[in-house]
Amino acid sequence: MFAGITLSKSLMKSSEKRENIPETIVRRLQPGEDLKQSIQELIESSRLSAGVIVSLVGSLRRAGLRFADAKEARIVDGPFEIVAATGTLGCGKMHIHLCLADGQGRVVGGHIMEGCEINTTAEIVILNLSSNFAFERTLDASTGYAELMPRKNEA
């Protein structure tokens, strides 16, 4: 279960309101939760059709990562600090890269997979662009992956 808030233009004074201001979704995830599964639940519960990770910090007990050009995910044991994350979210899908540091400062990174077990916390901030875009994913025959196909919403 995650705790958090969603900020939107409705919190602004009427004199400050502007059209198409994106919502900001903020959540704190709990120890023991799977980071990828929790983000998937967040995408679905927020009905997010387009979003980007603005910030993701916290710690993991272990991590499920797919390294560059690897066909399979690997589970690596921590504990780790989340030192960077970036990604696109929407239409029930995500593409997130995660960078982690161990207790000696060694860094490892890759594509987030299931198996990222939260150690103490994970704090995530997402910019919701759903009022303007839909981030769909379509299989690209040249890469073999479902790649981003952003679609601008009609006004």
Side-chain angles (χ1 to χ4, degrees):
M1 188 63 160
F2 43 72
I5 58 172
T6 301
L7 303 175
S8 70
K9 59 187 169 196
S10 64
L11 295 176
M12 299 174 68
K13 295 178 186 170
S14 60
S15 62
E16 297 173 335
K17 286 187 180 181
R18 291 172 279 170
E19 292 302 312
N20 298 321
I21 295 174
E23 286 183 309
T24 304
I25 301 168
V26 181
R27 295 288 190 274
R28 176 180 179 244
L29 307 177
Q30 302 295 317
E33 289 186 78
D34 184 278
L35 181 61
K36 184 176 182 188
Q37 290 175 358
S38 295
I39 293 172
Q40 185 65 44
E41 291 170 10
L42 179 66
I43 292 168
E44 292 168 8
S45 68
S46 300
R47 295 200 268 178
L48 192 67
S49 65
V52 294
I53 293 176
V54 175
S55 178
L56 174 55
V57 297
S59 63
L60 300 176
R61 288 186 188 125
R62 63 186 183 118
L65 298 172
R66 183 174 50 77
F67 300 124
D69 286 334
K71 299 297 180 204
E72 303 290 324
R74 287 190 43 204
I75 300 292
V76 290
D77 290 320
F80 298 106
E81 287 292 324
I82 300 170
V83 295
T86 189
T88 54
L89 316 166
C91 298
K93 308 283 184 188
M94 71 181 82
H95 184 192
I96 301 171
H97 290 187
L98 195 58
C99 185
L100 307 169
D102 69 11
Q104 283 70 50
R106 293 178 297 231
V107 176
V108 64
H111 185 89
I112 189 174
M113 304 297 284
E114 289 186 9
C116 291
E117 183 183 351
I118 295 169
N119 188 28
T120 58
T121 192
E123 302 163 4
I124 186 166
V125 180
I126 298 168
L127 189 62
N128 184 348
L129 304 173
S130 300
S131 63
N132 294 314
F133 294 97
F135 288 172
E136 298 170 349
R137 297 205 163 267
T138 305
L139 182 64
D140 183 323
S142 67
T143 66
Y145 293 105
E147 303 290 4
L148 181 66
M149 297 294 294
R151 180 177 46 82
K152 180 104 169 104
N153 293 335
E154 301 299 319

